[in-house]
Amino acid sequence: MRVNGPTQDQAGVRAVLGAAEAALGSHLYDATDLGGSARSTVLRCRSELHGSVVVKAYADDPAALGAFPAEAAGLSLGLAGPALLAADPGHPLIVMRDLGSGPTLADLLLGADSATAQEALLGWSRALGDLAARSVAYEAEFDAGVERYRRGHPTWMEGMSQLGTVGRLPELLDRVEVVAPPGLDADIAEIRALADSPYKGLTPGDTCPDNSMLTGDGMQLLDFEGAGYQPVFLTAAYCRMPFATCWCAFRLPGNIGRRAEAAFRRRLLPVYPQLADDTVWEHGMRRAVAAWSVMTLGAVRYATEEDYPLHSTRRPAPMSRQLLTYRWQSLLRDLEPSGDLPAFAELLRALLADRSALWQPEPLPAFPALLSRPAM
């Protein structure tokens, strides 16, 4: 079979297509390589029974074999993302309905149409909130799906929990030669206690702007490789920071970020009415943003050696020192008025006085689309 696009390993692609046809029970043709990643091969094909479909085959390495059960189980619930048409744990691969080739949220935020970008951002946050709310009753079903598709490796959520990483904060500080302030152990325990939150929901995991796409049905969530249940505050933190672990992370000017967070929160209230209480919400949000901020500290050593763009090819992209400084400043502004996590706040002040003062980065700019006119 001829394959359009950049794929070099034609024999490997033929094997993928053969396994996908067997799982789907339908002949596939006109395959086009969509690029994929080091973890996967992704092909758009035509199916005699299902029209345009996307086949995603996972590489034979621990990260990919942990991504497969999370994605297959997450999509099998049918709560968000492309419809799952078939899954083969033996290969392993999934076949999904094709959502088309619309712009991603990253494309829109880096573009020039302010109104479309803002509405897409709100649509993205509502989609995340809807998924979290709808999923509350399905955690046992998701867990059973993960076990059904598991290939002997932990999922990303199991193996690399951000709340687990918080416990390594003293080690991370030692690596970048920053002295831990007194009382930090108590704040670490306080942040990690977020794991016991009763307010949990399903997330795709990697909820970055380039993993959601504008379609005729609105914003659709893509990429469930990191899917799992977590405290909803950790998902909402992507609205506030914004985009906790993403390369595409510029400022959201005006109140657009808070509007996105509020849209996510409103979707949760039918299942978690307690989250209407601002005290409950802010308590969880401060800890969630702190947890994600710990995960970024691994970049401090590299940013000290060299300032670098957070994406190797796409432009614009924030510089590492810009984004770290902005993260520290933003969280400190949240912590200081409340008096919450005082030792963690002291750590942020030390990082700003030490690294940021040495770096003197340019202020983090706003997303280009949101510069064209003030945020609504």
Side-chain angles (χ1 to χ4, degrees), residues 40-59:
S40 62
T41 297
V42 183
L43 305 169
R44 173 179 284 128
C45 311
R46 298 293 300 176
S47 160
E48 293 174 335
L49 294 179
H50 302 283
S52 187
V53 302
V54 173
V55 177
K56 184 173 185 179
Y58 300 80

Side-chain angles (χ1 to χ4, degrees), residues 89-121:
H91 196 272
L93 59 77
I94 60 174
V95 185
M96 304 168 281
R97 194 168 299 284
D98 184 10
L99 294 180
S101 302
T104 66
L105 179 57
D107 296 330
L108 296 170
L109 289 170
L110 298 176
D113 186 335
S114 178
T116 300
Q118 290 184 62
E119 185 51 45
L121 178 71

Side-chain angles (χ1 to χ4, degrees), residues 308-323:
Y308 55 89
L310 293 190
H311 197 285
S312 59
T313 58
R314 288 202 65 168
R315 296 294 181 272
M319 301 299 289
S320 59
R321 294 175 181 178
Q322 279 183 320
L323 188 57

Side-chain angles (χ1 to χ4, degrees), residues 9-268:
D9 183 2
Q10 296 290 316
V13 169
R14 284 194 294 270
V16 166
L17 291 173
E21 287 178 337
L24 189 61
S26 175
H27 177 58
L28 297 175
Y29 57 98
D30 287 347
T32 299
D33 181 17
L34 297 183
S37 69
R39 293 188 300 274
S40 62
T41 297
V42 183
L43 305 169
R44 173 179 284 128
C45 311
R46 298 293 300 176
S47 160
E48 293 174 335
L49 294 179
H50 302 283
S52 187
V53 302
V54 173
V55 177
K56 184 173 185 179
Y58 300 80
D60 187 20
D61 66 63
L65 296 179
F68 166 67
E71 189 150 34
L75 292 179
S76 70
L77 297 179
L79 302 176
L84 182 68
L85 301 175
D88 178 5
H91 196 272
L93 59 77
I94 60 174
V95 185
M96 304 168 281
R97 194 168 299 284
D98 184 10
L99 294 180
S101 302
T104 66
L105 179 57
D107 296 330
L108 296 170
L109 289 170
L110 298 176
D113 186 335
S114 178
T116 300
Q118 290 184 62
E119 185 51 45
L121 178 71
L122 294 174
W124 163 84
S125 66
R126 288 191 290 263
L128 286 174
D130 285 339
L131 172 59
R134 291 169 182 165
S135 70
V136 169
Y138 294 94
E139 187 169 5
E141 186 174 335
F142 172 81
D143 290 342
V146 169
E147 293 308 316
R148 182 167 63 252
Y149 295 117
R150 191 184 295 279
R151 292 291 304 269
H153 296 279
T155 66
W156 181 86
M157 196 74 75
E158 293 167 338
M160 194 178 171
S161 164
Q162 57 272 44
L163 292 175
T165 302
V166 172
R168 297 177 49 235
L169 178 55
E171 174 191 335
L172 293 173
L173 294 179
D174 284 345
R175 289 182 185 178
V176 295
E177 300 179 338
V178 172
V179 177
L184 188 61
D185 286 347
D187 282 2
I188 289 172
E190 184 72 17
I191 296 167
R192 294 188 71 183
L194 188 61
D196 300 323
S197 169
Y199 312 116
K200 293 183 178 178
L202 183 66
T203 171
D206 189 8
T207 52
C208 294
D210 48 0
N211 283 330
S212 60
M213 187 172 70
L214 183 61
T215 72
D217 296 321
M219 294 303 294
Q220 297 287 332
L221 303 175
L222 309 174
D223 191 349
F224 279 61
E225 289 186 3
Y229 281 74
Q230 67 180 10
V232 296
F233 306 109
L234 289 166
T235 307
Y238 272 71
C239 303
R240 182 172 292 195
M241 297 183 72
F243 310 125
T245 58
C246 311
W247 69 267
C248 186
F250 293 94
R251 280 191 305 108
L252 294 173
N255 68 348
I256 184 64
R258 292 293 180 155
R259 288 181 60 214
E261 182 181 323
F264 174 88
R265 182 183 178 186
R266 280 194 297 272
R267 290 306 209 263
L268 300 173

